[in-house]
Each structure stands twice: as C-alpha cells, then as structure tokens.
Amino acid sequence: MSIPHYAVLGHPVTQSLSPRIHAAFGQQTGLALTYVALDTEEIGLAATLARFAAAGGLGANVTVPDKAEAAGLAHILSPRARRAGVANTLVLRDGVWHGDNTDGSGLVRDLRDRRGLDLHDMRVLMLGAGGAAQGVAPALLDAGISQLVVANRTRSRAYDLIDRLGDTERTRACTLREITGMGEFDLIVQATSAGHDGVLPTLPDLMPRADTVCVDLNYGRAALSFMAWAHQHGVQQAFDGLGMLVEQAADAFEVWHGQRPDTEPVYAQLRMSTGRG
C-alpha cells in the first residue's frame, strides 16, 4: 500500500517547520505519511497543486501568499474558510479539493490554552488586513472579544475585511497612522508580512500598556522586529506565532486523519530548537 502524500505550498517554504511538525505528529499517532515543502513561485499554486495531486497528493497546507487563491481553487469550502475568504488547509476527497481554515482556531488555542489568556471582552488591534488577518479575525470574534480594530496601510482593504466579517457592532477599520486615535488595546496581533524583510509596519506613537499582550503571527526571524518593539515598550507578554503554527497544524492533521495529536511535546521540542518567543 502506498504511503499518503501531504505538503505545504507557498513561497518561500524552504525554511518551513511544517514538515517537521507533521513528521512528529505521524510518529506520535503511528501513521505512516510523507510530507514535503513545495514552492509555488515558479509555476503558481494551481499548477503546483495539480502536479501534487497527480503524484498522489491527498492533503496540503497553504501558506503565504497563496491562501486566498487556495480558497478559490477549492470546490467545497468549510464554513470557517468561506467566512474568512482564505484557506490554509486542503484535502482531496473523491477527486475534489475541499478547503478549510485552521489559522484562527490555531491562534485561539495557543492564546487560550497554552498562554492562559481569557479573550472574552478583550479589545483587539489587528495590524494588517491580508490573508493572515482574514484567517484569524473570525475566530477572535467567536472567542468573545469586545472589539476588533483592523489597521492597515490602506483603509479600503481594512474596510473590506470588516465588511466580510459582517459584525458592524464589534469591528472598526483605520489606517496605521490613525491607530493612536483608537484608544488602548488589551491584545495587539501583528498580521503583516513586514517582518520577513526585517522591518516593522509603521506604528506612529502606538503605546501599548505593560499588560497589553502582543502576538506576531509570524515565527522565528520574521517575528523578531515586532517582539523587540513590544519589549522596548515594556510589554510583559509578547509571543511569536510558533504556538499558533503547531496548533493549526494539529487541526489540519485532524481534518486529514480524523485524530488530533498532542501538540505540547511537539511545540516544546520546536521551541527549544528555534529559540524563545
């Protein structure tokens, strides 16, 4: 019997931790599988996905910049992927790609279960309105936050996101330059890709409180700039996205295999090897 094939698709993916994570999940659950990283820059997501399926691929994680296109390529979307407008998890069933989104559930699990945060009634600032922000915003609202302010370089894209969320009472949009007029926040979520270039998005005069929680959806080097900014402002709790990565991977693993692995030993092992955050 052939070994099931899975992959992470996007660009860049050469440094992705997903193959290590899913190898550990497979070992833990006793499932034999192969999991590889496939870069989509050369031929695009659609062609890469078609080649992968032809070679026996059964499921894929999708990362930047292809999550919106992945939702468009899926023939059937889960309710949470449809609501987000992006998909980070694909599974081939009866020759048809099904799309799901586990980013939001992964973030909430990390913040609530691993970090011990009570998200209920938190006032949240989301930096960015792209695919990463789209993926997690619905889950934050479902977790009971009191308000979500989406700040983006261009106001129109921020409004596009809150329009999609359909919660006019709890969502507001602004530009990055307008953040200071929005008051104080309990949680700041850095959802832009700026950290991949070693820079921060422009945050004029944004002053978090010491008890404001800061989380970057990126992990590793891409999160260093925001983490440093948070610590420079006296923030006591600042996290990168490694925990979210492991949790969303476990949710995807469950979509594919019907069982959810124990994430804590895998997270602990990766944290030791990648550094603190």
Side-chain angles (χ1 to χ4, degrees):
M1 186 172 67
S2 62
I3 297 177
H5 285 54
Y6 299 87
V8 57
L9 311 179
H11 175 76
V13 292
T14 54
Q15 301 300 317
S16 174
L17 294 176
S18 292
R20 287 178 60 183
I21 292 171
H22 283 275
F25 288 164
Q27 184 176 22
Q28 180 189 120
T29 57
L31 294 176
L33 56 89
T34 61
Y35 189 108
V36 297
L38 300 176
D39 199 293
T40 60
E41 183 183 34
E42 184 176 347
I43 63 174
L45 176 64
T48 304
L49 188 62
R51 284 187 181 181
F52 175 61
L58 297 178
N61 292 129
V62 182
T63 186
V64 294
D66 297 321
K67 294 182 182 183
E69 185 178 354
L73 291 173
H75 295 83
I76 299 173
L77 290 177
S78 69
R80 58 187 177 183
R82 190 179 308 110
R83 185 178 175 198
V86 291
N88 77 326
T89 301
L90 297 173
V91 58
L92 192 63
R93 293 176 179 149
D94 299 322
V96 172
W97 285 111
H98 293 240
D100 201 351
N101 192 294
T102 63
D103 282 334
S105 60
L107 176 62
V108 169
R109 282 180 186 273
D110 181 51
L111 294 178
R112 184 188 59 205
D113 300 343
R114 178 171 292 110
R115 314 297 182 181
L117 297 182
D118 182 1
L119 296 172
H120 186 71
D121 282 341
M122 273 195 169
R123 193 161 187 265
V124 180
L125 171 64
M126 179 85 73
L127 302 175
Q134 288 176 249
V136 302
L140 288 172
L141 290 171
D142 291 345
I145 64 172
S146 63
Q147 187 176 57
L148 176 67
V149 176
V150 179
N152 194 60
R153 184 175 57 83
T154 56
R155 184 186 286 107
S156 60
R157 192 161 188 183
Y159 272 108
D160 287 343
L161 175 52
I162 66 170
D163 286 346
R164 173 178 290 278
L165 293 171
D167 191 331
T168 56
E169 293 186 0
R170 290 191 295 158
T171 56
R172 296 181 65 184
C174 67
T175 67
L176 294 173
R177 295 184 178 278
E178 295 169 336
I179 292 174
T180 50
M182 294 293 173
E184 295 185 332
F185 298 95
D186 303 304
L187 172 65
I188 300 175
V189 179
Q190 204 297 101
T192 77
S193 60
H196 289 277
D197 298 320
V199 298
L200 273 176
T202 304
L203 303 175
D205 302 321
L206 175 60
M207 295 295 294
R209 305 187 309 263
D211 63 347
T212 298
V213 179
C214 291
V215 58
D216 196 317
L217 301 189
N218 302 293
Y219 63 91
R221 291 184 178 180
L224 291 179
S225 296
F226 182 69
M227 300 280 285
W229 174 87
H231 289 305
Q232 287 166 5
H233 285 79
V235 170
Q236 297 171 358
Q237 294 189 82
F239 313 116
D240 69 3
L242 182 62
M244 169 185 162
L245 176 72
V246 175
E247 297 301 329
Q248 64 81 23
D251 287 348
F253 192 92
E254 185 175 17
V255 169
W256 296 332
H257 307 295
Q259 55 181 310
R260 194 175 196 279
D262 182 3
T263 57
E264 206 52 42
V266 179
Y267 171 77
Q269 182 182 38
L270 290 174
R271 180 55 74 200
M272 280 185 22
S273 64
T274 59
R276 188 177 178 182

